[in-house]
Amino acid sequence: MGRITKTAELPDDLNPHLFFVQWLGGTECVIEQHRGILDFAMQRIRFMTEQGELSVEGEDLVLEVMTASRAKVSGSIRSVRLEAKS
């Protein structure tokens, strides 16, 4: 798909291998195109992505929605970090 999106000059958001994070007001975070949960606690939820591990950290975190490729986390979100693959 990467070669197709580059050849056709399509935007990166059409690439199914790239994840997307939408952080809303410090209380909600939507992750698209994750590859599963690595760790779950009320202070940190870690997701696997094609590019590495994505951590959502804060207090009283709740996993509101979880599908094969989409998740919605709510709570008092302090940070969203990516630990990229080497």
Side-chain angles (χ1 to χ4, degrees):
M1 182 71 176
R3 288 190 325 209
I4 293 171
T5 56
K6 288 178 184 175
T7 302
E9 296 183 13
L10 296 174
D12 285 338
D13 61 350
L14 295 178
N15 186 338
H17 300 288
L18 295 178
F19 72 93
F20 174 78
V21 175
Q22 185 176 23
W23 187 1
L24 306 166
T27 59
E28 290 183 352
C29 183
V30 177
I31 299 103
E32 302 272 355
Q33 303 302 335
H34 69 80
R35 302 286 188 247
I37 291 182
L38 297 170
D39 185 37
F40 178 86
M42 291 182 70
Q43 295 81 25
R44 180 176 72 174
I45 303 175
R46 291 186 316 137
F47 296 89
M48 177 55 73
T49 71
E50 188 80 18
Q51 290 74 35
E53 295 180 12
L54 180 74
S55 294
V56 178
E57 297 180 357
E59 300 296 325
D60 302 319
L61 299 180
V62 176
L63 188 58
E64 287 191 17
V65 175
M66 179 70 180
T67 67
S69 63
R70 184 175 190 270
K72 179 179 176 185
V73 177
S74 66
S76 178
I77 300 171
R78 184 175 52 247
S79 68
V80 178
R81 296 180 307 150
L82 175 67
E83 189 173 317
K85 289 181 180 179
S86 302

